[in-house]
């Protein structure tokens, strides 16, 4: 499905963006990709795009219904939850920007004013994807052939982990190591007592949520899946970067981890520890007639 209509940035705004792009290219030691479309879309347009994609794609509908059944049987979600609606809303409300590999389009969501730290971080991340697109490619891998597989997950993991490390290294270089404090600084001023009350409320909410199906340490099944690329994958790529520099990260595109276990435990990747393949269990004798693979 084509992306929603992108409103081009003004020449003045684009000049500032390209300073970020060139800085990211310098940090990542890859040439800047200049032949891309850059612009903004509204949050509402993005929400409508995800909803239309959900409604128009028959394969997506079929896959979603399958996952709904599986996750309900596993008690990961309750009967009232529809993962399509939940994931659509999560992406529509959370995505700050993206780079489309298929269309060579870099988008900042609701972004046309003065850039704050959060938007600069987002842009650095998305420009990192454009550098990958211009200079790096996974050896002999087609994402479509590995969808919903361990390898498919780790291919995405390398891209996102690389972009996360790159964007953080860029921000450190550009603004010093104190920039993160400005990013997470609350918009309102709170007293010490108010801060203590907010922390206590958050901890209480986390304890309550962690008892719900699909929650772990206060994070739902969906959130943990969404943040995997931006948390665990960041640390995996950072370990490789810390050990072997950008050449080591580049090498991941030719020799990516084959399992998410290797991502969670980088020492298993360096040892190329192979996965243990589960044995198939013959369930035919335990099932009634009418079941099929």
């Amino acid at each position: 499905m084509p992306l929603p209509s992108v409103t081009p940035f003004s020449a003045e705004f684009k000049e500032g963006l390209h300073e970020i792009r060139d800085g990211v290219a310098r940090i990542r030691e890859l040439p800047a990709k200049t032949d891309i479309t850059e612009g903004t879309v509204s949050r509402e347009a993005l929400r409508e795009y995800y909803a239309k994609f959900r409604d128009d794609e028959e394969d997506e509908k079929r896959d979603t219904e399958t996952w709904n059944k599986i996750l309900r049987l596993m008690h990961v979600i309750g009967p009232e939850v529809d993962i399509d609606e939940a994931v659509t809303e999560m992406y529509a409300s959370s995505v700050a920007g993206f780079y489309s590999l298929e269309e060579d389009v870099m988008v900042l969501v609701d972004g046309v004013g003065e850039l704050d730290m959060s938007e600069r971080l987002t842009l650095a991340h998305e420009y990192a994807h454009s550098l990958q697109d211009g200079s790096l490619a996974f050896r002999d891998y087609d994402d479509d052939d590995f969808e919903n597989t361990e390898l498919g997950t780790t291919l995405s993991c390398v891209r996102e982990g690389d972009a996360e490390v790159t964007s953080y290294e860029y921000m450190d270089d550009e603004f010093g190591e104190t920039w993160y404090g400005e990013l997470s600084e609350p918009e309102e001023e709170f007293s010490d007592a108010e801060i203590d009350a907010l922390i206590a409320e958050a901890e209480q909410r986390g304890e309550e949520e962690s008892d719900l199906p699909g929650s772990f340490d206060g994070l739902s099944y969906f959130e943990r899946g969404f943040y995997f690329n931006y948390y665990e994958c960041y640390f995996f790529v950072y370990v490789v970067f810390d050990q072997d520099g950008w050449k080591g990260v580049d090498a991941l595109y030719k020799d990516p981890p084959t399992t998410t276990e290797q991502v969670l435990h980088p020492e298993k990747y360096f040892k190329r520890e192979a996965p243990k393949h589960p044995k198939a269990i013959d369930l035919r004798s335990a099932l009634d007639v009418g079941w099929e693979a």
Side-chain angles (χ1 to χ4, degrees):
M1 236 180 84
L3 292 170
S5 179
V6 175
T7 302
F9 295 123
S10 68
E12 182 181 2
F13 191 76
K14 194 177 287 187
E15 184 178 342
L17 297 189
H18 289 173
E19 289 180 4
I20 297 175
R21 179 198 67 193
D22 295 342
V24 169
R26 173 178 51 80
I27 289 294
R28 185 56 181 83
E29 299 177 5
L30 291 172
K33 184 174 170 62
T34 59
D35 56 340
I36 64 175
T37 300
E38 300 160 313
T40 183
V41 298
S42 68
R43 178 73 57 191
E44 190 53 40
L46 187 65
R47 180 174 278 105
E48 290 175 3
Y49 168 76
Y50 284 130
K52 183 170 174 49
F53 181 83
R54 183 185 70 198
D55 293 340
D56 288 358
E57 298 292 326
E58 290 300 323
D59 289 346
E60 291 287 328
K61 283 184 180 179
R62 187 167 56 250
D63 288 348
T64 295
E65 190 50 44
T66 300
W67 278 111
N68 273 330
K69 291 176 182 176
I70 291 170
L71 296 177
R72 285 169 185 158
L73 286 168
M74 294 172 66
H75 291 251
V76 170
I77 61 175
E80 75 288 350
V81 176
D82 181 275
I83 66 165
D84 209 3
E85 293 180 2
V87 171
T88 296
E89 179 55 33
M90 186 181 71
Y91 272 84
S93 60
S94 302
V95 171
F98 58 87
Y99 175 75
S100 170
L101 290 165
E102 293 81 11
E103 301 186 37
D104 288 339
V105 174
M106 198 280 294
V107 170
L108 187 62
V109 179
D110 277 346
V112 289
E114 186 175 348
L115 296 174
D116 60 21
M117 283 294 182
S118 177
E119 288 171 324
R120 289 178 182 278
L121 179 63
T122 296
L123 286 164
H125 179 104
E126 302 310 330
Y127 275 126
H129 281 316
S130 73
L131 305 185
Q132 298 165 1
D133 189 24
S135 302
L136 300 167
F138 287 110
R139 173 184 54 82
D140 301 331
Y141 293 125
D142 182 340
D143 283 354
D144 291 339
D145 293 336
F146 297 98
E147 190 176 6
N148 292 328
T149 67
E150 281 284 276
L151 183 58
T153 301
T154 61
L155 294 177
S156 171
C157 186
V158 169
R159 281 199 186 106
E160 296 298 343
D162 178 6
E164 282 288 275
V165 172
T166 300
S167 59
Y168 275 68
E169 289 295 306
Y170 164 77
M171 295 293 283
D172 282 351
D173 182 76
E174 190 74 12
F175 301 105
E177 295 185 359
T178 60
W179 68 269
Y180 194 80
E182 185 175 337
L183 175 70
S184 55
E185 211 171 75
E187 294 182 2
E188 300 178 55
E189 290 291 333
F190 294 102
S191 67
D192 290 343
E194 288 173 322
I195 291 174
D196 289 341
L198 288 169
I199 291 173
E201 180 185 342
E203 289 175 345
Q204 175 65 28
R205 189 167 60 247
E207 289 174 4
E208 292 170 356
E209 290 177 357
S210 64
D211 293 330
L212 295 172
S215 293
F216 181 84
D217 289 345
L219 283 179
S220 74
Y221 167 83
F222 308 113
E223 289 171 313
R224 285 187 61 80
F226 179 83
Y227 288 116
F228 177 77
N229 275 343
Y230 308 100
Y231 187 76
E232 283 90 351
C233 297
Y234 162 79
F235 283 109
F236 168 76
V237 173
Y238 187 82
V239 168
V240 174
F241 170 67
D242 190 50
Q243 177 172 301
D244 299 318
W246 291 122
K247 287 185 178 179
V249 177
D250 291 348
L252 290 172
Y253 289 80
K254 296 181 180 178
D255 185 21
T258 55
T259 65
T260 47
E261 182 184 31
Q262 291 181 352
V263 172
L264 295 170
H265 306 279
E267 70 277 7
K268 295 177 183 286
Y269 170 75
F270 293 123
K271 294 178 181 178
R272 300 303 192 271
E273 183 175 306
K276 295 182 177 70
H277 294 283
K279 294 180 180 179
I281 301 173
D282 190 344
L283 295 174
R284 286 173 294 185
S285 60
L287 297 174
D288 297 329
V289 293
W291 288 83
E292 61 183 28

